[in-house]
Amino acid sequence: MISCRVCGSAIAAPSYQASAPALTSMMAFIDIPTLAYVCDDCGHAQCGDLPDIDSFYDTTYRISLESDDHDQIFAVDAKGQPIFRTDHQAAVGLHLLDLPQGASILDYGAAKADTLRKMLKARPDLRPHVFDVSSDYKRAWASWVAEEDQATYQVPAAWAGRFQAIISHFVIEHVEAPVEFLKTLRDLLAPGGRVLLSMPNVVANPGDMTVADHLNHFSEASLKHAFALSGFVLETIDSTAFPGAFFAVAARSEAPVAIDSDATEVAAAAAAAKQICAFWEQATARLDGSAKRFAGRNAAIYGSGFYGSWIHSRVAGDVNLAAFLDQNPKLQGSSHFGRPVMPPAAMPSETDVIFVGLNPLKARDIIASQPALNRPGLDLVWIDE
Ligand SMILES: [Zn+2]
């Protein structure tokens, strides 16, 4: 029996479980089973705790430290050009927050704080502050954030009530206690200050359900609940600005905020989460079957992200894997689990089968746009059929 990380209700049993190892968002394996739970009372879904979470984020979890321009691709535009995550986050942040002149703004869980740095390019009047639970990023901050406006491990007491705005991109899904996390942000805001959060939307990207370090899988219903409990008035939840994610803006309230939960919305959110859990049970069984069916054949995996890494973990022992194929030019030429990452058009000609490691909601359109993958005799394995 465990408790919901948002509303505290008891959850009797996991809706999805898989034996160790579990795969993290940084494509590393950790020796714990994957367990996903769904709360019927608020529509939240969550994974089990990570062992030693503090040390995981301090020393193991590193975003984009390898090079200055390494950035995660989040979409490909109509001309096939990749769009990078922090450029888009900066644009959305400036638009949604509509910041006053000279505002003090904090990037909470900043990592390198590329998003805030890009916001500053458009708005040099802003006063940037950064916080993270690791000191790995200090060098990335040094040239553009004043020393006294940087904090690691603990936020200085003097920052309470300081900020007109806080941005926190793809952080809240990692925290064990999201309501406490939001209360911390609320207390850092000045009265009337606003927070902009982004987080994965598991319904739009079902792979998120099995990411071991994503302890929270919010629905709109559970996010509303969490904001109310932590003293925020919700302004916007946007599920379209960023594929596969929610952007939410909420304002600090001086009065307690009532929980305005809609039973139909909560039930629909819980049902959607349970359906995703069932999908993963079936997908795992199907992929194991495909690995046996194509045993010994020449194979490649399309996509070197989470789905591709998960496929690798299940088929590498059976098929003859030559490469990962990926559209992201910044990953091409690198290696992943010891195998080359190459553009789709460079796929070895003797390839018999492609395992498609993409968000199943988008996979068919992406593959259809790649002529090299649509040749006769090439088998495609999808994780959802
Ligand atoms: Zn709950």
CSV table of all heavy atoms in Angstrom, one decimal, residues 193-245:
chain,number,residue,atom,x,y,z
A,193,GLY,N,3.1,37.0,-7.7
A,193,GLY,CA,4.1,36.4,-8.6
A,193,GLY,C,3.5,35.1,-9.2
A,193,GLY,O,2.6,34.5,-8.7
A,194,ARG,N,4.1,34.7,-10.4
A,194,ARG,CA,3.6,33.6,-11.1
A,194,ARG,C,4.7,32.6,-11.4
A,194,ARG,O,5.8,32.9,-11.6
A,194,ARG,CB,3.0,34.1,-12.4
A,194,ARG,CG,1.7,34.9,-12.1
A,194,ARG,CD,1.5,36.0,-13.2
A,194,ARG,NE,0.7,35.5,-14.3
A,194,ARG,CZ,1.0,35.8,-15.6
A,194,ARG,NH1,2.0,36.6,-15.9
A,194,ARG,NH2,0.2,35.3,-16.5
A,195,VAL,N,4.2,31.4,-11.5
A,195,VAL,CA,5.1,30.3,-11.8
A,195,VAL,C,4.7,29.7,-13.1
A,195,VAL,O,3.6,29.6,-13.5
A,195,VAL,CB,5.1,29.2,-10.7
A,195,VAL,CG1,3.7,28.5,-10.6
A,195,VAL,CG2,6.1,28.1,-10.9
A,196,LEU,N,5.8,29.3,-13.9
A,196,LEU,CA,5.5,28.6,-15.2
A,196,LEU,C,6.2,27.2,-15.0
A,196,LEU,O,7.4,27.2,-14.8
A,196,LEU,CB,6.2,29.3,-16.3
A,196,LEU,CG,6.3,28.5,-17.7
A,196,LEU,CD1,4.9,28.2,-18.2
A,196,LEU,CD2,7.1,29.3,-18.7
A,197,LEU,N,5.4,26.2,-15.1
A,197,LEU,CA,6.0,24.8,-15.0
A,197,LEU,C,5.8,24.1,-16.3
A,197,LEU,O,4.7,24.3,-17.0
A,197,LEU,CB,5.2,24.0,-14.0
A,197,LEU,CG,5.1,24.5,-12.5
A,197,LEU,CD1,4.2,23.5,-11.7
A,197,LEU,CD2,6.5,24.5,-11.9
A,198,SER,N,6.7,23.3,-16.7
A,198,SER,CA,6.5,22.3,-17.7
A,198,SER,C,6.7,20.9,-17.2
A,198,SER,O,7.5,20.7,-16.3
A,198,SER,CB,7.3,22.6,-19.0
A,198,SER,OG,8.7,22.5,-18.6
A,199,MET,N,6.0,20.0,-17.8
A,199,MET,CA,6.2,18.6,-17.4
A,199,MET,C,5.6,17.7,-18.5
A,199,MET,O,4.8,18.1,-19.3
A,199,MET,CB,5.4,18.3,-16.1
A,199,MET,CG,3.9,18.4,-16.3
A,199,MET,SD,3.0,18.9,-14.8
A,199,MET,CE,3.3,20.6,-14.7
A,200,PRO,N,6.0,16.4,-18.5
A,200,PRO,CA,5.5,15.5,-19.5
A,200,PRO,C,4.0,15.3,-19.4
A,200,PRO,O,3.5,15.3,-18.3
A,200,PRO,CB,6.3,14.2,-19.3
A,200,PRO,CG,7.4,14.5,-18.4
A,200,PRO,CD,7.0,15.7,-17.6
A,201,ASN,N,3.4,15.1,-20.5
A,201,ASN,CA,2.0,14.7,-20.5
A,201,ASN,C,1.9,13.3,-21.0
A,201,ASN,O,2.1,13.0,-22.2
A,201,ASN,CB,1.2,15.6,-21.5
A,201,ASN,CG,-0.2,15.2,-21.7
A,201,ASN,OD1,-0.7,14.3,-21.1
A,201,ASN,ND2,-0.9,15.9,-22.6
A,202,VAL,N,1.7,12.4,-20.0
A,202,VAL,CA,1.8,11.0,-20.3
A,202,VAL,C,0.8,10.5,-21.3
A,202,VAL,O,1.1,9.5,-22.1
A,202,VAL,CB,1.8,10.1,-19.0
A,202,VAL,CG1,0.4,10.2,-18.4
A,202,VAL,CG2,2.3,8.7,-19.2
A,203,VAL,N,-0.3,11.1,-21.4
A,203,VAL,CA,-1.3,10.7,-22.4
A,203,VAL,C,-0.9,11.0,-23.8
A,203,VAL,O,-1.2,10.3,-24.7
A,203,VAL,CB,-2.7,11.4,-22.1
A,203,VAL,CG1,-3.7,11.3,-23.2
A,203,VAL,CG2,-3.3,10.9,-20.7
A,204,ALA,N,-0.1,12.1,-24.0
A,204,ALA,CA,0.4,12.4,-25.3
A,204,ALA,C,1.7,11.7,-25.6
A,204,ALA,O,2.2,11.7,-26.8
A,204,ALA,CB,0.6,13.9,-25.4
A,205,ASN,N,2.4,11.2,-24.6
A,205,ASN,CA,3.6,10.5,-24.8
A,205,ASN,C,3.7,9.3,-23.8
A,205,ASN,O,4.3,9.4,-22.7
A,205,ASN,CB,4.8,11.4,-24.6
A,205,ASN,CG,6.2,10.7,-24.9
A,205,ASN,OD1,6.2,9.7,-25.5
A,205,ASN,ND2,7.2,11.4,-24.5
A,206,PRO,N,3.0,8.2,-24.2
A,206,PRO,CA,2.8,7.1,-23.2
A,206,PRO,C,4.1,6.5,-22.6
A,206,PRO,O,4.1,5.9,-21.5
A,206,PRO,CB,2.0,6.1,-23.9
A,206,PRO,CG,2.0,6.5,-25.4
A,206,PRO,CD,2.3,7.9,-25.4
A,207,GLY,N,5.2,6.6,-23.3
A,207,GLY,CA,6.5,6.1,-22.8
A,207,GLY,C,6.8,6.7,-21.4
A,207,GLY,O,7.5,6.1,-20.6
A,208,ASP,N,6.4,7.9,-21.2
A,208,ASP,CA,6.7,8.5,-19.9
A,208,ASP,C,6.3,7.7,-18.7
A,208,ASP,O,6.9,7.8,-17.6
A,208,ASP,CB,6.0,9.9,-19.9
A,208,ASP,CG,6.5,10.7,-18.7
A,208,ASP,OD1,7.7,11.1,-18.8
A,208,ASP,OD2,5.8,11.0,-17.8
A,209,MET,N,5.2,6.9,-18.9
A,209,MET,CA,4.7,6.1,-17.7
A,209,MET,C,5.8,5.2,-17.1
A,209,MET,O,5.8,4.9,-15.9
A,209,MET,CB,3.5,5.3,-18.2
A,209,MET,CG,2.8,4.6,-17.0
A,209,MET,SD,2.0,5.8,-15.9
A,209,MET,CE,0.4,6.1,-16.7
A,210,THR,N,6.8,4.8,-17.9
A,210,THR,CA,7.7,3.8,-17.5
A,210,THR,C,9.1,4.4,-17.2
A,210,THR,O,10.0,3.6,-17.0
A,210,THR,CB,7.9,2.6,-18.5
A,210,THR,OG1,8.5,3.1,-19.7
A,210,THR,CG2,6.5,2.1,-18.9
A,211,VAL,N,9.2,5.7,-17.3
A,211,VAL,CA,10.5,6.3,-17.0
A,211,VAL,C,10.8,6.3,-15.5
A,211,VAL,O,10.0,6.9,-14.7
A,211,VAL,CB,10.6,7.8,-17.5
A,211,VAL,CG1,11.9,8.5,-17.2
A,211,VAL,CG2,10.3,7.8,-19.0
A,212,ALA,N,11.8,5.6,-15.1
A,212,ALA,CA,12.0,5.3,-13.6
A,212,ALA,C,12.1,6.6,-12.8
A,212,ALA,O,11.7,6.6,-11.6
A,212,ALA,CB,13.2,4.4,-13.4
A,213,ASP,N,12.8,7.6,-13.3
A,213,ASP,CA,13.0,8.8,-12.5
A,213,ASP,C,11.9,9.9,-12.7
A,213,ASP,O,11.9,10.9,-12.1
A,213,ASP,CB,14.4,9.4,-12.7
A,213,ASP,CG,14.6,9.7,-14.2
A,213,ASP,OD1,14.3,8.9,-15.0
A,213,ASP,OD2,15.2,10.7,-14.5
A,214,HIS,N,10.9,9.5,-13.5
A,214,HIS,CA,9.7,10.4,-13.5
A,214,HIS,C,8.7,9.8,-12.5
A,214,HIS,O,7.8,9.0,-12.8
A,214,HIS,CB,9.1,10.5,-14.9
A,214,HIS,CG,9.9,11.3,-15.9
A,214,HIS,ND1,9.6,11.5,-17.2
A,214,HIS,CD2,11.1,11.9,-15.7
A,214,HIS,CE1,10.5,12.3,-17.7
A,214,HIS,NE2,11.5,12.5,-16.8
A,215,LEU,N,8.8,10.4,-11.3
A,215,LEU,CA,8.0,9.8,-10.2
A,215,LEU,C,6.5,10.3,-10.3
A,215,LEU,O,5.6,9.7,-9.7
A,215,LEU,CB,8.6,10.3,-8.8
A,215,LEU,CG,10.0,10.0,-8.6
A,215,LEU,CD1,10.4,10.3,-7.2
A,215,LEU,CD2,10.4,8.5,-8.9
A,216,ASN,N,6.3,11.4,-11.0
A,216,ASN,CA,4.9,11.9,-11.2
A,216,ASN,C,4.6,11.9,-12.7
A,216,ASN,O,5.4,12.3,-13.5
A,216,ASN,CB,4.9,13.4,-10.7
A,216,ASN,CG,5.2,13.4,-9.2
A,216,ASN,OD1,4.4,13.0,-8.4
A,216,ASN,ND2,6.3,14.0,-8.9
A,217,HIS,N,3.3,11.5,-12.9
A,217,HIS,CA,2.8,11.6,-14.3
A,217,HIS,C,1.4,12.3,-14.1
A,217,HIS,O,0.4,11.8,-13.8
A,217,HIS,CB,2.5,10.2,-14.9
A,217,HIS,CG,3.7,9.3,-14.8
A,217,HIS,ND1,4.8,9.5,-15.5
A,217,HIS,CD2,3.9,8.2,-14.0
A,217,HIS,CE1,5.7,8.6,-15.2
A,217,HIS,NE2,5.2,7.8,-14.3
A,218,PHE,N,1.5,13.7,-14.3
A,218,PHE,CA,0.3,14.5,-14.0
A,218,PHE,C,-0.7,14.4,-15.1
A,218,PHE,O,-0.4,14.3,-16.3
A,218,PHE,CB,0.7,16.0,-13.9
A,218,PHE,CG,1.4,16.3,-12.6
A,218,PHE,CD1,2.7,16.3,-12.4
A,218,PHE,CD2,0.6,16.7,-11.5
A,218,PHE,CE1,3.3,16.6,-11.2
A,218,PHE,CE2,1.1,17.0,-10.3
A,218,PHE,CZ,2.5,17.0,-10.1
A,219,SER,N,-2.0,14.5,-14.6
A,219,SER,CA,-3.1,14.7,-15.5
A,219,SER,C,-3.5,16.2,-15.3
A,219,SER,O,-3.0,16.8,-14.3
A,219,SER,CB,-4.3,13.8,-15.2
A,219,SER,OG,-4.7,14.0,-13.9
A,220,GLU,N,-4.3,16.8,-16.1
A,220,GLU,CA,-4.8,18.1,-15.8
A,220,GLU,C,-5.5,18.1,-14.4
A,220,GLU,O,-5.3,19.0,-13.6
A,220,GLU,CB,-5.7,18.6,-16.9
A,220,GLU,CG,-5.0,18.9,-18.2
A,220,GLU,CD,-5.8,19.9,-19.1
A,220,GLU,OE1,-6.6,20.6,-18.6
A,220,GLU,OE2,-5.5,19.8,-20.3
A,221,ALA,N,-6.2,17.0,-14.2
A,221,ALA,CA,-7.0,16.9,-12.9
A,221,ALA,C,-6.0,16.9,-11.7
A,221,ALA,O,-6.2,17.7,-10.7
A,221,ALA,CB,-7.9,15.7,-12.9
A,222,SER,N,-5.0,16.1,-11.7
A,222,SER,CA,-4.1,16.0,-10.6
A,222,SER,C,-3.2,17.3,-10.5
A,222,SER,O,-2.8,17.7,-9.4
A,222,SER,CB,-3.2,14.8,-10.6
A,222,SER,OG,-2.3,14.8,-11.6
A,223,LEU,N,-2.9,17.9,-11.6
A,223,LEU,CA,-2.2,19.2,-11.5
A,223,LEU,C,-3.0,20.3,-10.9
A,223,LEU,O,-2.5,21.0,-10.0
A,223,LEU,CB,-1.7,19.6,-12.9
A,223,LEU,CG,-0.8,20.8,-13.0
A,223,LEU,CD1,0.5,20.6,-12.2
A,223,LEU,CD2,-0.5,21.0,-14.5
A,224,LYS,N,-4.3,20.4,-11.2
A,224,LYS,CA,-5.1,21.4,-10.6
A,224,LYS,C,-5.2,21.1,-9.1
A,224,LYS,O,-5.2,22.1,-8.3
A,224,LYS,CB,-6.6,21.3,-11.2
A,224,LYS,CG,-6.7,21.8,-12.6
A,224,LYS,CD,-8.2,21.5,-13.0
A,224,LYS,CE,-8.3,21.9,-14.5
A,224,LYS,NZ,-9.6,21.4,-15.0
A,225,HIS,N,-5.3,19.9,-8.7
A,225,HIS,CA,-5.4,19.5,-7.3
A,225,HIS,C,-4.1,19.9,-6.5
A,225,HIS,O,-4.2,20.5,-5.5
A,225,HIS,CB,-5.6,18.0,-7.2
A,225,HIS,CG,-6.1,17.5,-5.9
A,225,HIS,ND1,-7.4,17.0,-5.8
A,225,HIS,CD2,-5.6,17.4,-4.7
A,225,HIS,CE1,-7.6,16.6,-4.5
A,225,HIS,NE2,-6.5,16.9,-3.8
A,226,ALA,N,-3.0,19.6,-7.2
A,226,ALA,CA,-1.7,20.0,-6.5
A,226,ALA,C,-1.5,21.5,-6.4
A,226,ALA,O,-1.0,22.0,-5.4
A,226,ALA,CB,-0.5,19.4,-7.4
A,227,PHE,N,-1.9,22.3,-7.4
A,227,PHE,CA,-1.8,23.7,-7.3
A,227,PHE,C,-2.7,24.3,-6.2
A,227,PHE,O,-2.3,25.1,-5.4
A,227,PHE,CB,-2.3,24.4,-8.6
A,227,PHE,CG,-1.2,24.5,-9.6
A,227,PHE,CD1,-1.4,24.2,-11.0
A,227,PHE,CD2,0.1,25.1,-9.3
A,227,PHE,CE1,-0.4,24.3,-11.9
A,227,PHE,CE2,1.1,25.2,-10.2
A,227,PHE,CZ,0.9,24.8,-11.6
A,228,ALA,N,-3.9,23.7,-6.1
A,228,ALA,CA,-4.8,24.2,-5.0
A,228,ALA,C,-4.3,23.9,-3.6
A,228,ALA,O,-4.2,24.8,-2.8
A,228,ALA,CB,-6.2,23.6,-5.2
A,229,LEU,N,-3.7,22.7,-3.5
A,229,LEU,CA,-3.2,22.3,-2.1
A,229,LEU,C,-2.0,23.2,-1.7
A,229,LEU,O,-1.7,23.3,-0.6
A,229,LEU,CB,-2.8,20.9,-2.1
A,229,LEU,CG,-3.9,19.8,-2.1
A,229,LEU,CD1,-3.3,18.4,-2.2
A,229,LEU,CD2,-4.7,20.0,-0.8
A,230,SER,N,-1.3,23.7,-2.7
A,230,SER,CA,-0.1,24.5,-2.4
A,230,SER,C,-0.2,26.0,-2.5
A,230,SER,O,0.7,26.7,-2.4
A,230,SER,CB,1.1,24.0,-3.4
A,230,SER,OG,0.6,24.1,-4.7
A,231,GLY,N,-1.5,26.4,-2.6
A,231,GLY,CA,-1.7,27.9,-2.5
A,231,GLY,C,-1.5,28.7,-3.8
A,231,GLY,O,-1.1,29.8,-3.8
A,232,PHE,N,-1.8,28.0,-4.9
A,232,PHE,CA,-1.7,28.7,-6.2
A,232,PHE,C,-3.1,28.7,-6.9
A,232,PHE,O,-3.9,27.8,-6.8
A,232,PHE,CB,-0.8,27.9,-7.2
A,232,PHE,CG,0.6,28.1,-7.0
A,232,PHE,CD1,1.4,27.2,-6.4
A,232,PHE,CD2,1.2,29.3,-7.5
A,232,PHE,CE1,2.8,27.4,-6.2
A,232,PHE,CE2,2.6,29.5,-7.4
A,232,PHE,CZ,3.4,28.6,-6.8
A,233,VAL,N,-3.4,29.8,-7.6
A,233,VAL,CA,-4.6,29.9,-8.4
A,233,VAL,C,-4.1,29.6,-9.8
A,233,VAL,O,-3.2,30.3,-10.4
A,233,VAL,CB,-5.2,31.3,-8.4
A,233,VAL,CG1,-6.3,31.5,-9.4
A,233,VAL,CG2,-5.6,31.6,-6.9
A,234,LEU,N,-4.7,28.6,-10.4
A,234,LEU,CA,-4.3,28.2,-11.8
A,234,LEU,C,-4.8,29.2,-12.8
A,234,LEU,O,-5.9,29.7,-12.7
A,234,LEU,CB,-5.0,26.8,-12.1
A,234,LEU,CG,-4.7,26.3,-13.5
A,234,LEU,CD1,-3.3,26.0,-13.8
A,234,LEU,CD2,-5.6,25.1,-13.8
A,235,GLU,N,-3.9,29.6,-13.7
A,235,GLU,CA,-4.3,30.5,-14.8
A,235,GLU,C,-4.5,29.7,-16.1
A,235,GLU,O,-5.4,29.9,-16.8
A,235,GLU,CB,-3.3,31.6,-15.0
A,235,GLU,CG,-3.3,32.6,-13.8
A,235,GLU,CD,-2.4,33.7,-14.0
A,235,GLU,OE1,-1.6,33.8,-15.0
A,235,GLU,OE2,-2.4,34.6,-13.1
A,236,THR,N,-3.5,28.9,-16.5
A,236,THR,CA,-3.5,28.2,-17.8
A,236,THR,C,-2.8,26.8,-17.6
A,236,THR,O,-1.8,26.7,-17.0
A,236,THR,CB,-2.5,29.0,-18.8
A,236,THR,OG1,-2.8,30.3,-18.7
A,236,THR,CG2,-2.7,28.5,-20.2
A,237,ILE,N,-3.5,25.9,-18.3
A,237,ILE,CA,-2.8,24.6,-18.6
A,237,ILE,C,-2.8,24.5,-20.1
A,237,ILE,O,-3.9,24.4,-20.7
A,237,ILE,CB,-3.4,23.4,-17.9
A,237,ILE,CG1,-3.4,23.5,-16.4
A,237,ILE,CG2,-2.6,22.1,-18.4
A,237,ILE,CD1,-4.0,22.3,-15.7
A,238,ASP,N,-1.6,24.5,-20.7
A,238,ASP,CA,-1.6,24.4,-22.2
A,238,ASP,C,-1.0,23.1,-22.6
A,238,ASP,O,0.2,22.8,-22.2
A,238,ASP,CB,-0.7,25.6,-22.7
A,238,ASP,CG,-0.6,25.7,-24.2
A,238,ASP,OD1,-0.8,24.6,-24.8
A,238,ASP,OD2,-0.5,26.8,-24.7
A,239,SER,N,-1.7,22.3,-23.3
A,239,SER,CA,-1.2,21.0,-23.7
A,239,SER,C,-0.9,21.0,-25.2
A,239,SER,O,-0.6,19.9,-25.8
A,239,SER,CB,-2.2,19.8,-23.4
A,239,SER,OG,-3.4,20.1,-24.0
A,240,THR,N,-0.8,22.1,-25.8
A,240,THR,CA,-0.5,22.2,-27.3
A,240,THR,C,0.8,22.9,-27.6
A,240,THR,O,1.3,22.7,-28.7
A,240,THR,CB,-1.7,22.9,-28.0
A,240,THR,OG1,-1.8,24.3,-27.5
A,240,THR,CG2,-3.0,22.2,-27.8
A,241,ALA,N,1.3,23.8,-26.7
A,241,ALA,CA,2.5,24.5,-27.0
A,241,ALA,C,3.7,23.7,-27.2
A,241,ALA,O,4.6,24.0,-28.0
A,241,ALA,CB,2.7,25.6,-25.9
A,242,PHE,N,3.7,22.5,-26.6
A,242,PHE,CA,4.9,21.7,-26.6
A,242,PHE,C,4.4,20.2,-26.7
A,242,PHE,O,3.7,19.7,-25.8
A,242,PHE,CB,5.6,21.9,-25.2
A,242,PHE,CG,7.0,21.4,-25.2
A,242,PHE,CD1,8.0,22.3,-24.9
A,242,PHE,CD2,7.3,20.1,-25.3
A,242,PHE,CE1,9.3,21.9,-24.8
A,242,PHE,CE2,8.6,19.6,-25.2
A,242,PHE,CZ,9.6,20.5,-25.0
A,243,PRO,N,4.7,19.6,-27.8
A,243,PRO,CA,4.2,18.2,-28.0
A,243,PRO,C,4.6,17.3,-26.9
A,243,PRO,O,5.8,17.3,-26.5
A,243,PRO,CB,4.9,17.8,-29.3
A,243,PRO,CG,5.3,19.0,-30.0
A,243,PRO,CD,5.5,20.0,-28.9
A,244,GLY,N,3.7,16.6,-26.3
A,244,GLY,CA,4.0,15.6,-25.3
A,244,GLY,C,4.2,16.2,-23.9
A,244,GLY,O,4.6,15.6,-23.0
A,245,ALA,N,3.8,17.5,-23.7
A,245,ALA,CA,4.0,18.1,-22.4
A,245,ALA,C,2.9,19.1,-22.1
A,245,ALA,O,2.1,19.5,-22.9
A,245,ALA,CB,5.3,18.9,-22.4
